């Protein structure tokens, strides 16, 4: 009398996949070892630039 909901099985499959791939992604990020360098600022742009100053600020706010 009870009918299996297709959404429940896909949710369970998603959780299984997420549980197995998250540690692998963390290891891949941790072993990359290369640090990104700041780009040269584009003075014509109105957006926030990725400079050494903004990188220093981001590094100082990590906790």
């Amino acid at each position: 009398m009870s009918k299996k909901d297709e959404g429940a099985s896909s949710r369970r499959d998603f959780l299984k996949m997420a549980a197995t791939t998250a540690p692998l992604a963390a290891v891949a990020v941790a072993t990359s070892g290369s640090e990104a360098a700041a780009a040269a600022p584009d003075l014509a742009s109105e957006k926030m630039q990725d400079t050494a100053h903004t990188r220093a600020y981001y590094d100082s706010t990590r906790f």
Side-chain angles (χ1 to χ4, degrees):
M1 296 202 87
S2 66
K3 194 190 283 186
K4 278 197 165 188
D5 186 17
E6 190 63 35
S9 67
S10 66
R11 179 177 164 206
R12 185 175 295 133
D13 292 338
F14 170 76
L15 292 174
K16 285 180 189 177
M17 182 189 65
T20 58
T21 57
L24 294 175
V27 168
V29 169
T31 59
S32 67
S34 63
E35 191 169 318
D42 179 17
L43 300 177
S45 177
E46 295 282 328
K47 297 179 181 176
M48 188 170 103
Q49 302 294 313
D50 181 23
T51 62
H53 176 73
T54 55
R55 290 287 173 134
Y57 173 74
Y58 290 146
D59 289 339
S60 70
T61 59
R62 291 188 182 157
F63 44 88

